[in-house]
Amino acid sequence: MDKDSLKFLYSRFRDYKLHIILAIVGSIIEASSLAGLTYIVKEVIDKVFIDKDFEKLKLILIVIFTLAILKQIGFILKEYVFPYALYRVLKGLREEIFNKIVEGKYSAIQSRQFGDIISRASNDVEALRHSIILVGVDFITQLFTAVAMVSVLVYRDYRLFLIFLVAAPIFALSFNYFGEKRKKYTQRVQESFGEYTQIVNQTLSGLETIKLFSKENIIFLFNRINENFFKNQRKNALYDVLYLSSLEIASYIGIAGIILYGGISIVEGRITTGDLFSFLSALLILVNSLQIIQRGIMQIKVLSPVIHRIQSILNIEAEKQEGKPFSCLREKIVFKDVSLLIRDKVILKDIDIEIRKGEKIGIVGHTGSGKSSFLKLVYGLYQDEYRGSIKIDGIELRDLNLNSYREKVGVVSQDVFMFNDTVRNNLLIANPKADEEKIVKAILAAKADFVFQLPQGLDTVIGERGGVLSGGERQRVAFARLYLKDPEIVILDEGTSALDTTTEEEVMREFYKYFKDRTVLIVAHRASTLRECNRIITFENGRVSGEEKWV
Ligand SMILES: Nc1ncnc2c1ncn2[C@@H]1O[C@H](COP(=O)(O)OP(=O)(O)OP(=O)(O)O)[C@@H](O)[C@H]1O
Ligand SMILES: [Mg+2]
């Protein structure tokens, strides 16, 4: 494991030192009790079975009972206390990842594959849990157990123990060879799993498109991923079996040698039967411990890549939270020599625009000319990505407190996002305090009264991406949301694109009336939508190519 990952783990578990100490104490108690139990096997065999000493039997039973209880206490300590700490750590980690998604820089999140982020937030966090449990609970316990067992073995008969050690090189060889293979395929299985979730995810989000175009391509791609997934799992299982069975064969060879040599020693009177059985029971436990220790070592090796994948999400730069609070637009927004660069791609350049309070500005231009990007700049999605200056009442946009600014900006765009929740809750996100009267008023102004006809009215759940509603219905719900938010700066980015001309006219008439004295920016393809604008700005290839005064 590299230093970086160690630092990460240390910083996460720093507050749980007591838990870790308790878990280690638990492991030590468990390992010592186990050693006691294997030690006492000699007494059971020599005194009770062979000498038939009944008094000893009672005493031995009491000792065994006490050791068993101790072992359970140790077991509970380590199996509950450490996982408790771990689950607290993971809870915090999930929270941080989620906050990064919500509060990370828009351009940084946008540039990533969503499937990749989802896989890091779910699979990798789960892989981390799995590895840390294996290392933190099983590996540590077995280390103590191995030490305890080796002590019993050496104490019983060091010569017998030396025979076991002869098997060790075979043990080490198989560990290296099959262990490496196994690790490789474990990793491949994880990658396959990622590919698999990604393609299911992508297919679901593009279902309409996929149904209309040839399904063969995506099915072909899926089958290839699925086949690969299967192959990797099969190989993984194969090397798992080879690895474990080679370990077992190695230990059988050792045990066979011990029985042979031990048998001779008993016959010649050097050791008792009890000695040999005590030795063998400790040996079986040691073999099991060594297997788990190997597994633990392998898990330690996979921890680093998993931690790095999680860190790359945690390292996404957060949006700036501080800055001057914004309460309302008093005078104007001035763009001076502004260009927008996203990952070295110039999206907008030489933008000089002045937007006065209360103005209604129409924006037109060919597709891809930069209209939406310009609006995104206005509503503060890009703070560090622009050059030049954008002054809002004299304050640079990047010095503003974004949250307070965004509270005063409202947007309806072509693609309206809805939560998988009731219509009411989808409206309330705009203004959680709005009462029923306000909600109804907003719905009526948005010409969205169809929502009252839904099966459960406002309490009807609309599916993810607005499932139950048509595109035009969703846009009207978005207008209702806009009225509830009642923003200072109002932006429509083809927000009426899904409406028929009559409905659009009704919606826009209400819109202009409602936002009469607000600052409004509208991107639209139909001239009728822009009817009441004071001027029209035309975009072309990321630049302003013309301006026309209307009113
Ligand atoms: N985050 C981004 N990363 C890379 N390129 C981007 C990004 N956002 C926009 N672009 C590119 O910038 C250009 C302008 O896009 P924009 O969405 O602003 O156009 P538009 O005028 O709104 O087009 P439309 O009328 O089709 O909506 C396009 O070429 C687009 O591919
Ligand atoms: Mg656009």
Side-chain angles (χ1 to χ4, degrees):
M1 198 165 28
D2 55 25
K3 222 167 115 191
D4 214 29
S5 310
L6 272 176
K7 254 196 213 151
F8 174 85
L9 288 177
Y10 176 74
S11 69
R12 301 279 148 178
F13 281 94
R14 193 168 32 200
D15 295 339
Y16 298 99
K17 287 189 189 110
L18 182 67
H19 294 77
I20 292 172
I21 291 171
L22 277 178
I24 289 176
V25 169
S27 300
I28 293 175
I29 293 177
E30 201 189 347
S32 325
S33 326
L34 210 53
L37 285 170
T38 56
Y39 182 83
I40 216 163
V41 167
K42 174 184 159 74
E43 307 299 314
V44 175
I45 292 186
D46 288 347
K47 296 285 173 354
V48 182
F49 295 168
I50 296 176
D51 295 349
K52 306 201 172 25
D53 182 342
F54 187 66
E55 281 309 304
K56 265 268 155 54
L57 176 63
K58 281 194 271 183
L59 187 70
I60 287 171
L61 278 181
I62 292 171
V63 174
I64 289 180
F65 190 68
T66 314
L67 285 174
I69 288 181
L70 272 177
K71 184 173 174 300
Q72 283 317 304
I73 292 173
F75 178 76
I76 291 168
L77 267 183
K78 72 168 220 279
E79 294 280 337
Y80 180 70
V81 175
F82 182 74
Y84 170 83
L86 172 63
Y87 297 152
R88 288 291 292 257
V89 167
L90 292 180
K91 176 172 175 262
L93 201 58
R94 287 193 298 265
E95 194 177 307
E96 261 179 66
I97 293 176
F98 190 75
N99 284 344
K100 277 293 167 183
I101 295 175
V102 179
E103 285 174 355
K105 260 195 192 167
Y106 176 68
S107 58
I109 304 275
Q110 213 188 14
S111 64
R112 284 167 171 269
Q113 291 258 345
F114 285 180
D116 181 60
I117 296 186
I118 292 167
S119 140
R120 283 166 204 239
S122 51
N123 304 347
D124 287 328
V125 174
E126 172 54 24
L128 189 67
R129 181 198 68 79
H130 181 75
S131 301
I132 291 184
I133 283 281
L134 274 181
V135 175
V137 179
D138 303 337
F139 177 73
I140 303 276
T141 309
Q142 297 309 328
L143 274 184
F144 289 122
T145 307
V147 171
M149 291 307 131
V150 168
S151 320
V152 173
L153 290 173
V154 172
Y155 181 75
R156 283 288 172 240
D157 193 332
Y158 73 93
R159 285 159 305 193
L160 280 179
F161 182 62
L162 289 180
I163 293 177
F164 172 72
L165 284 187
V166 172
I170 312 175
F171 200 81
L173 272 179
S174 65
F175 163 62
N176 269 339
Y177 182 72
F178 294 120
E180 284 300 314
K181 288 260 186 210
R182 203 169 82 140
K183 192 177 105 193
K184 185 168 113 190
Y185 282 98
T186 308
Q187 212 159 2
R188 290 217 181 148
V189 166
Q190 260 182 4
E191 283 163 15
S192 292
F193 184 69
E195 282 176 352
Y196 165 73
T197 41
Q198 202 153 327
I199 194 164
V200 172
N201 208 319
Q202 246 181 26
T203 306
L204 272 173
S205 43
L207 202 55
E208 291 93 343
T209 318
I210 287 164
K211 277 192 184 290
L212 280 177
F213 290 93
S214 153
K215 271 173 273 194
E216 277 146 41
N217 275 348
I218 191 102
I219 290 173
F220 178 77
L221 190 65
F222 176 82
N223 285 342
R224 210 179 58 202
I225 289 171
N226 203 17
E227 180 67 26
N228 238 335
F229 195 178
F230 161 73
K231 275 188 188 153
N232 289 334
Q233 277 184 325
R234 186 185 70 78
K235 288 228 169 120
N236 193 31
L238 178 70
Y239 286 116
D240 221 32
V241 166
L242 287 177
Y243 170 75
L244 291 177
S245 81
S246 66
L247 286 188
E248 268 188 38
I249 290 170
S251 44
Y252 289 151
I253 294 171
I255 287 171
I258 285 155
I259 291 178
L260 180 69
Y261 182 78
I264 295 170
S265 300
I266 291 175
V267 173
E268 291 179 352
R270 277 199 301 270
I271 58 171
T272 66
T273 314
D275 277 321
L276 184 63
F277 273 84
S278 170
F279 186 93
L280 279 177
S281 48
L283 189 66
L284 286 176
I285 294 173
L286 176 67
V287 168
N288 180 52
S289 295
L290 290 180
Q291 285 183 7
I292 298 172
I293 288 170
Q294 312 282 23
R295 234 179 255 192
I297 292 173
M298 229 177 306
Q299 287 303 325
I300 291 176
K301 285 188 191 160
V302 301
L303 261 177
S304 281
V306 168
I307 288 175
H308 289 175
R309 284 171 58 84
I310 293 174
Q311 274 178 322
S312 86
I313 297 279
L314 295 177
N315 289 342
I316 289 179
E317 213 180 321
E319 275 178 340
K320 214 173 61 180
Q321 294 297 328
E322 68 274 19
K324 298 197 181 80
F326 176 85
S327 56
C328 66
L329 185 66
R330 284 176 231 284
E331 210 184 331
K332 59 186 174 184
I333 304 174
V334 183
F335 279 70
K336 208 159 179 194
D337 202 14
V338 171
S339 52
L340 175 66
L341 273 121
I342 296 175
R343 273 165 291 129
D344 298 331
K345 187 179 165 196
V346 181
I347 308 230
L348 296 172
K349 49 188 172 298
D350 309 332
I351 307 287
D352 288 289
I353 293 177
E354 197 173 304
I355 305 163
R356 311 202 133 264
K357 180 186 166 89
E359 254 190 321
K360 313 280 173 292
I361 297 180
I363 295 166
V364 296
H366 290 301
T367 173
S369 56
K371 305 179 297 292
S372 297
S373 306
F374 172 69
L375 294 182
K376 282 180 185 170
L377 262 179
V378 176
Y379 57 83
L381 277 189
Y382 302 121
Q383 215 178 6
D384 291 331
E385 289 82 355
Y386 72 86
R387 305 278 166 273
S389 105
I390 304 174
K391 290 229 157 96
I392 298 171
D393 288 337
I395 299 169
E396 191 62 43
L397 179 70
R398 64 169 70 85
D399 298 330
L400 269 183
N401 178 301
L402 266 187
N403 285 337
S404 70
Y405 177 64
R406 287 184 189 148
E407 259 173 43
K408 306 289 176 187
V409 184
V411 183
V412 176
S413 58
Q414 198 169 11
D415 193 19
V416 174
F417 175 77
M418 299 271 166
F419 287 97
N420 188 7
D421 203 340
T422 59
V423 175
R424 185 191 307 280
N425 287 340
N426 266 293
L427 289 173
L428 284 176
I429 57 162
N431 178 2
K433 289 194 281 279
D435 57 18
E436 197 69 13
E437 197 192 325
K438 265 203 175 130
I439 295 177
V440 171
K441 232 174 110 185
I443 291 172
L444 293 178
K447 309 290 168 205
D449 39 331
F450 66 89
V451 295
F452 301 126
Q453 259 78 60
L454 291 172
Q456 277 93 42
L458 286 182
D459 296 312
T460 310
V461 172
I462 42 185
E464 225 172 299
R465 312 175 89 221
V468 188
L469 305 180
S470 76
E473 287 170 339
R474 267 191 290 169
Q475 282 189 334
R476 279 177 285 160
V477 173
F479 268 85
R481 208 144 72 172
L482 191 66
Y483 293 131
L484 279 175
K485 185 167 183 181
D486 198 19
E488 281 280 316
I489 300 163
V490 190
I491 292 173
L492 299 187
D493 188 356
E494 297 178 43
T496 52
S497 59
L499 304 179
D500 63 80
T501 27
T502 334
T503 313
E504 183 191 26
E505 216 151 276
E506 285 173 19
V507 167
M508 285 313 291
R509 195 178 313 129
E510 203 60 45
F511 174 87
Y512 281 119
K513 206 162 84 193
Y514 197 98
F515 292 121
K516 199 168 62 224
D517 48 2
R518 301 293 159 84
T519 314
V520 175
L521 296 169
I522 306 178
V523 168
H525 289 302
R526 280 183 223 153
S528 59
T529 320
L530 305 175
R531 208 177 34 211
E532 296 191 30
C533 287
N534 310 104
R535 52 191 169 117
I536 304 288
I537 296 173
T538 310
F539 273 77
E540 206 177 307
N541 284 331
R543 292 170 196 265
V544 174
S545 69
E547 197 178 321
E548 206 180 319
K549 280 219 174 342
W550 272 20
V551 188

